[in-house]
Every structure is written in C-alpha cells, then in structure tokens.
Amino acid sequence: MPSKTHTTRAKRGSASFCYQDLSDAYQRKHFQNILGRLRNVEQLYLVDNGMQYLHSYSFPKCEVLNINNNYIASFKYLPSIPRVKLLTMEDNDVDNFKGLGNLKSLEDLYLRGNPITFLINYRQRVFQILPQLKRLDGIPRLQSDLEFDPEYGDMDESMNDSSCVIL
C-alpha cells in the first residue's frame, strides 16, 4: 500500500528538498514524483541538489524559488513559475540571458556566482529585460542600471564579451 505522503497532494505553503542525493536512481525517481505534485507550493527550496533542468515542472502558485548551488545553465531550464517574485539561483552555470524575459512577475533576482554576472553591462541588461525588477543581487535598482551603453555590446544573448564587471 502506498504511503500517505505519496497519495495526497501537497498543501499550500513551503517545501524544502535541499541536499538530496540524486545520484541514486530510486531517490531521483521519487524526488521527481514529489516535484510533480507540488502544484500549490508557494515557497520552494531546492538548494544543492546537482540539478541541471527543471523545465518539465510547473509551480503555478510559487512566489519564492531558491535553487542555489545546482548546475542550471540557462533560464530556459527553469520550471514554469508565472507568479514568482523572488528567484535565488546563485552558484549555478547561467551564462546567457535566454529565457530571462519569461519571468514577468519577478521583483528580486539573485545570480551571484554565475558566469553571466561577469558580462559587460550585466545589471543594465537584466533591468532592460525585466523592467519590473526591483532588486538584483540584493542591490536595489539604481539610476545607472537604466543607462545602457551600446558601445559595450548590444542586448544579444551570447557571452562574447571580453571584459568583466566586479561589483
């Protein structure tokens, strides 16, 4: 008989599945099943799980998502999170802006430790793509974030910039 945990749907609120050993096929399968049932979760913490992709999941009521310390390489690999207000994905592998524009409800974004943060005009690019964003990496939107200098590259989605910006 299946356990009650597997037969009931997740309640609203918070769910934390951090530091999971997903190298084991059994653990990975059950972890994926659990994630698929979290349709009503409002705050989700998936820190340090070695995940690369979440795009096959949908968390329609999620307003806070923390996926720090994983291996996610693109915003395109994020789950469907139409209500997300706070996204923390520090120390991942994000190196381009592809898919960032899909996060239309986002107010706070943390990307420290990702290759994308070393691109020229990083902050300006993010605020241009997400004009509703209030804070990036814990720093409120500044006037200088709204002043994009086209001399240092256009808003392409590549990582061909040869300089870095350190905040």
Side-chain angles (χ1 to χ4, degrees):
M1 175 175 188
S3 70
K4 186 175 181 179
T5 310
H6 293 286
T7 59
T8 60
R9 296 187 185 246
K11 304 270 188 232
R12 283 188 153 194
S14 176
S16 180
F17 296 98
C18 303
Y19 311 102
Q20 301 294 307
D21 180 11
L22 300 178
S23 61
D24 179 69
Y26 176 84
Q27 179 75 2
R28 191 171 44 255
K29 177 184 172 190
H30 288 284
F31 181 74
Q32 292 167 346
N33 287 337
I34 290 168
L35 287 182
R37 294 178 182 200
L38 296 176
R39 306 279 303 159
N40 293 318
V41 71
E42 294 172 349
Q43 298 179 12
L44 182 57
Y45 303 90
L46 300 171
V47 176
D48 205 4
N49 287 321
M51 296 180 301
Q52 296 177 332
Y53 311 98
L54 287 167
H55 60 278
S56 61
Y57 299 100
S58 178
F59 308 115
K61 297 182 181 179
C62 186
E63 294 184 2
V64 175
L65 178 61
N66 185 331
I67 50 174
N68 287 351
N69 303 317
N70 283 287
Y71 298 107
I72 298 171
S74 174
F75 296 107
K76 293 180 356 178
Y77 300 147
L78 293 177
S80 172
I81 43 177
R83 288 187 174 177
V84 71
K85 295 191 182 324
L86 170 63
L87 175 60
T88 304
M89 54 186 305
E90 296 179 342
D91 299 314
N92 275 275
D93 295 330
V94 178
D95 64 359
N96 64 66
F97 296 100
K98 292 177 184 170
L100 180 60
N102 296 333
L103 302 171
K104 302 204 183 299
S105 62
L106 198 59
E107 295 177 2
D108 288 282
L109 177 61
Y110 291 82
L111 293 173
R112 287 185 207 112
N114 283 279
I116 195 171
T117 63
F118 293 103
L119 295 177
I120 293 175
N121 290 328
Y122 155 70
R123 287 184 60 84
Q124 292 86 351
R125 290 178 182 193
V126 171
F127 282 107
Q128 187 171 31
I129 295 168
L130 298 173
Q132 80 287 354
L133 196 66
K134 295 178 181 175
R135 278 170 296 285
L136 177 58
D137 298 326
I139 301 169
R141 182 176 47 218
L142 307 169
Q143 182 60 36
S144 61
D145 293 327
L146 306 176
E147 300 165 359
F148 181 72
D149 187 351
E151 178 182 337
Y152 291 106
D154 58 14
M155 292 298 293
D156 68 16
E157 304 274 340
S158 67
M159 190 175 162
N160 295 326
D161 298 299
S162 59
S163 302
C164 68
V165 177
I166 299 176
L167 298 174

